[in-house]
Amino acid sequence: MARLEFLLACALALVLVLPAISAEVVEHSFHVQNLTVQRLCHEQVITAVNGSLPGPTLRVREGDTVIVHVFNKSPYNLTIHWHGVFQLLSGWADGPEFATQCPIRPGHSYTYRFNITGQEGTLWWHAHVQWLRATVYGSLIIRPRAGRSYPFPKPYREFPIVLGEWWNANVIDVENQGLASGAAPNNSDAFTINGRPGDLYPCSSNHTYTINVVHGKTYLLRIVNAALNNQLFFKIANHRMTVVAVDAAYTTPFVTDVVVVAPGQTTDVLLTADQPPASYYMAALPYASAAGVPFDNTTTTGIIVYDGAKKSAPLMPALPAFNDTPTAHKFFSNLTGLVHGPFWAPVPRKIDEHMFVTVGLGLVACGGNATCGGPLGQRFAASMNNASFQFPTKLSMLEAFFNNVHGIYTTDFPDQPPLTFDYTNPNNSFNQSIIMTKKSTSVKKVKYNSTVEIVMQNTALVGIENHPIHLHGFNFYVLAQGFGN
């Protein structure tokens, strides 16, 4: 009897250990340094990882541990952010400069280590100092751990589709020029698909990303918007797509002919090659909802080529207007979590913290007797509840919190805006009694495991714009969305 109990105990222990055995350590080295590339008839020196644009794709399984050694051989301070990773018990590895770590100085290195837990799908990584993420970025693909499957039919193949933004200039200079003037920075010169502008741009006939497909097969496209400043429409000529995940969270599948992705967002879609064998453009162009504001109104393309198709000019999709808010809203409001899918959890009913947060542009004083390039001779400054966030420069906020260091941040971020007004009335756009804000490093502290409800209210200050919100290290529930106040 004792022998039987011993064998049962061993079997139980084996069952309990098996999930842990399935996890692996995935280790990479990132060498970040200057790279000379040719785009749009120009040679441009960019900052890149391992000599490529985009940088390397990291492929892991849920449950794996990721270790990345970053060697900063560039002339700039650098951090890497693992965009969307929960960072459970590894907040030090999240990456935003002076939020969770101090920057990696030129000539120095740093090792990130974190686990991928409770997430499957597509995320991405990028630099998190100034505008370096314009060229320092790549995909992070999380497959189900061994023994598990997708909650949809397994695709024949999969392709990362990383949408980017390109300047014929040093992006740090572009940003610094905007900061110095107080005005908006210069618009980009092109958009890219996997680092290539596509053949609608000058000198780019050989810089078009192409994928080959087999008729009747289904493919998983992992779409990432790595652009800095623009939401993007994405379409494929004569094809429909089935959305199955966003930001490494499964969604209830829905069929669409257009995808909208904001900077930082990812969308996984299934594409079935069910059209006559030929060549078809996939194209991305901006969704720019702010009226009268200049933007990069160009289109990047890639090509899908069916095996065995005769050589012909690719078919172009009918693209939305740049300000097609109804199409964008229809797409975003159709995204719903896959109930009872992997890692799904019901909406919490007990709320511990209630916040009402106004979001939009404002102005800060130019300073001294100078005149700046923003409206009313002042400087542009985005704000939330009339507080315009400013990173500290001496110590990261996480280290200051951990070591109880004072003077790095304050804990007085307000739960309500300082003033109630008709938030979306364009007559208030340049109301000088409410348009000015101030720079501060103020935070909201919440208890571990508390549930926070936030109402995000856009404002018409300076201009009205559809705008995404990203919360590092969290999924959140969208309970409702609409227009107006």
Side-chain angles (χ1 to χ4, degrees):
M1 184 67 180
R3 174 181 171 82
L4 178 60
E5 289 176 350
F6 173 76
L7 290 174
L8 287 172
C10 288
L12 179 60
L14 183 61
V15 170
L16 293 174
V17 166
L18 275 177
I21 292 174
S22 69
E24 297 182 355
V25 175
V26 179
E27 194 164 2
H28 288 265
S29 291
F30 282 8
H31 297 271
V32 187
Q33 59 196 74
N34 286 348
L35 175 70
T36 301
V37 297
Q38 190 167 28
R39 297 287 189 275
L40 310 184
C41 316
H42 291 78
E43 274 200 349
Q44 183 65 45
V45 177
I46 64 171
T47 306
V49 176
N50 295 357
S52 66
L53 177 70
T57 297
L58 273 56
R59 292 179 170 85
V60 302
R61 291 187 179 273
E62 192 270 330
D64 285 354
T65 295
V66 178
I67 299 175
V68 180
H69 309 285
V70 178
F71 301 91
N72 186 8
K73 304 172 184 177
S74 81
Y76 307 108
N77 285 342
L78 178 79
T79 63
I80 300 293
H81 170 50
W82 314 95
H83 193 112
V85 174
F86 287 161
Q87 298 294 357
L88 303 177
L89 299 180
S90 56
W92 306 105
D94 192 48
E97 87 288 9
F98 290 115
T100 60
Q101 70 171 106
C102 292
I104 310 167
R105 291 174 294 166
H108 290 70
S109 62
Y110 184 82
T111 296
Y112 293 91
R113 182 187 180 105
F114 54 91
N115 295 327
I116 304 290
T117 304
Q119 294 177 281
E120 294 174 10
T122 305
L123 296 174
W124 65 301
W125 57 264
H126 60 82
H128 213 300
V129 172
Q130 295 188 273
W131 274 21
L132 287 180
R133 72 179 176 92
T135 54
V136 178
Y137 62 81
S139 302
L140 173 57
I141 294 173
I142 308 167
R143 296 191 177 93
R145 66 173 65 205
R148 292 182 183 170
S149 59
Y150 296 119
F152 47 80
K154 184 179 179 180
Y156 179 66
R157 285 190 65 189
E158 58 182 53
F159 297 99
I161 304 294
V162 185
L163 310 176
E165 198 166 4
W166 177 266
W167 279 261
N168 287 328
N170 181 305
V171 291
I172 299 296
D173 292 342
V174 173
E175 180 189 19
N176 287 341
Q177 288 163 6
L179 292 173
S181 71
N186 290 337
N187 289 320
S188 53
D189 296 291
F191 298 101
T192 58
I193 295 178
N194 289 345
R196 305 177 189 183
D199 55 17
L200 301 186
Y201 293 98
C203 305
S204 300
S205 58
N206 295 325
H207 291 196
T208 304
Y209 177 72
T210 301
I211 58 178
N212 292 90
V213 298
V214 176
H215 190 273
K217 300 292 186 181
T218 297
Y219 298 82
L220 178 60
L221 304 185
R222 299 179 177 272
I223 305 167
V224 178
N225 186 353
L228 268 73
N229 300 320
N230 285 277
Q231 301 184 72
L232 296 168
F233 290 115
F234 177 84
K235 291 192 73 171
I236 301 172
N238 290 13
H239 288 74
R240 296 171 74 80
M241 298 167 278
T242 302
V243 178
V244 292
V246 294
D247 300 326
Y250 291 117
T251 61
T252 304
F254 81 92
V255 178
T256 179
D257 68 345
V258 61
V259 168
V260 194
V261 275
Q265 292 180 336
T266 70
T267 304
D268 290 356
V269 301
L270 296 176
L271 171 74
T272 299
D274 57 3
Q275 294 301 301
S279 295
Y280 300 87
Y281 273 125
M282 50 180 154
L285 79 165
Y287 165 47
S289 58
V293 177
F295 64 98
D296 178 0
N297 191 10
T298 63
T299 301
T300 180
T301 54
I303 301 175
I304 293 176
V305 180
Y306 279 68
D307 282 0
K310 295 180 179 179
K311 190 170 183 179
S312 61
L315 297 174
M316 176 63 81
L319 297 170
F322 70 87
N323 58 355
D324 190 349
T325 292
T327 291
H329 181 69
K330 180 181 178 181
F331 177 84
F332 287 130
S333 57
N334 267 298
L335 296 174
T336 58
L338 181 62
V339 177
H340 304 308
F343 317 116
W344 176 83
V347 177
R349 300 300 179 92
K350 180 181 178 294
I351 308 300
D352 303 296
E353 300 274 359
H354 293 265
M355 301 180 70
F356 183 92
V357 181
T358 54
V359 182
L361 278 175
L363 302 175
V364 291
C366 186
N369 296 318
T371 299
C372 290
L376 308 178
Q378 308 296 342
R379 293 181 177 275
F380 277 119
S383 68
M384 303 176 75
N385 280 353
N386 210 40
S388 185
F389 184 79
Q390 180 171 273
F391 279 110
T393 57
K394 297 179 180 178
L395 193 70
S396 77
M397 292 188 293
L398 184 60
E399 189 170 353
F401 171 76
F402 189 80
N403 293 319
N404 199 28
V405 177
H406 297 284
I408 302 301
Y409 61 84
T410 61
T411 57
D412 57 351
F413 181 83
D415 288 342
Q416 303 285 330
L419 181 69
T420 300
F421 60 99
D422 188 356
Y423 302 111
T424 57
N425 186 342
N427 291 331
N428 281 322
S429 293
F430 292 98
N431 184 336
Q432 295 189 46
S433 67
I434 57 177
I435 198 173
M436 299 304 292
T437 182
K438 60 181 180 180
K439 306 294 288 186
S440 62
T441 308
S442 58
V443 306
K444 164 77 173 179
K445 291 179 69 173
V446 294
K447 291 183 179 180
Y448 172 74
N449 214 31
S450 58
T451 299
V452 184
E453 179 186 275
I454 306 176
V455 176
M456 313 294 298
Q457 173 64 58
N458 206 344
T459 71
L461 297 177
V462 181
I464 302 172
E465 182 180 17
N466 180 303
H467 200 288
I469 293 291
H470 168 55
L471 188 62
H472 283 217
F474 290 86
N475 287 343
F476 48 86
Y477 302 87
V478 178
L479 303 183
Q481 54 187 311
F483 296 86
N485 291 320

